[in-house]
Amino acid sequence: MGTQGWVKVYRKLLANPIMHDAKLLQVFLYCLLKANHKGQNILFNGQIIEVSSGSFIAGRNVASQDLRLKSNMWDRKLKLLEKLKIVNTQKTNRYTIVSI
């Protein structure tokens, strides 16, 4: 996964409640930009994990470092995005698969 390509952002995002919370918007955009555009299998700790399009593997420490947030802030904002039905998460004790 690289930093190539582009994503569409619709103007209707302006009417979404996440626009009123800068950290929430930051986490949303991070998820949007990190999501795979096509499915792939990833080798992680000796096991193959299938990551579908629109999903990515996130670790709270890496994500919070990337965004310069405290890890508990990442967790809270990700849970809020899940409550708003913008993302779905599948958590393990080592990583989280985030689907947008």
Side-chain angles (χ1 to χ4, degrees):
M1 180 169 37
T3 57
Q4 299 174 352
W6 54 275
V7 296
K8 283 185 182 181
V9 178
Y10 289 96
R11 286 187 178 96
K12 95 179 195 181
L13 178 63
L14 292 169
N16 194 295
I18 67 174
M19 284 299 293
H20 303 290
D21 182 336
K23 298 293 184 198
L24 187 60
L25 180 62
Q26 180 184 21
V27 171
F28 167 70
L29 289 174
Y30 180 81
C31 291
L32 189 64
L33 295 170
K34 292 292 279 185
N36 292 328
H37 72 280
K38 62 181 179 179
Q40 63 183 20
N41 292 324
I42 296 174
L43 184 62
F44 185 81
N45 280 350
Q47 70 183 94
I48 296 175
I49 302 168
E50 183 180 340
V51 182
S52 60
S53 64
S55 301
F56 68 101
I57 294 179
R60 70 186 290 208
N61 292 331
V62 171
S64 59
Q65 286 175 0
D66 286 349
L67 296 171
R68 297 184 183 127
L69 297 174
K70 292 184 179 179
S71 57
N72 63 348
M73 175 70 77
W74 161 260
D75 289 338
R76 285 197 319 262
K77 298 304 179 182
L78 193 60
K79 283 179 188 174
L80 186 51
L81 287 174
E82 196 166 18
K83 280 184 183 179
L84 291 169
K85 300 190 186 299
I86 295 173
V87 301
N88 292 315
T89 60
Q90 297 173 347
K91 296 181 182 185
T92 72
N93 60 348
R94 296 187 174 260
Y95 60 87
T96 300
I97 296 180
V98 179
S99 301
I100 193 159

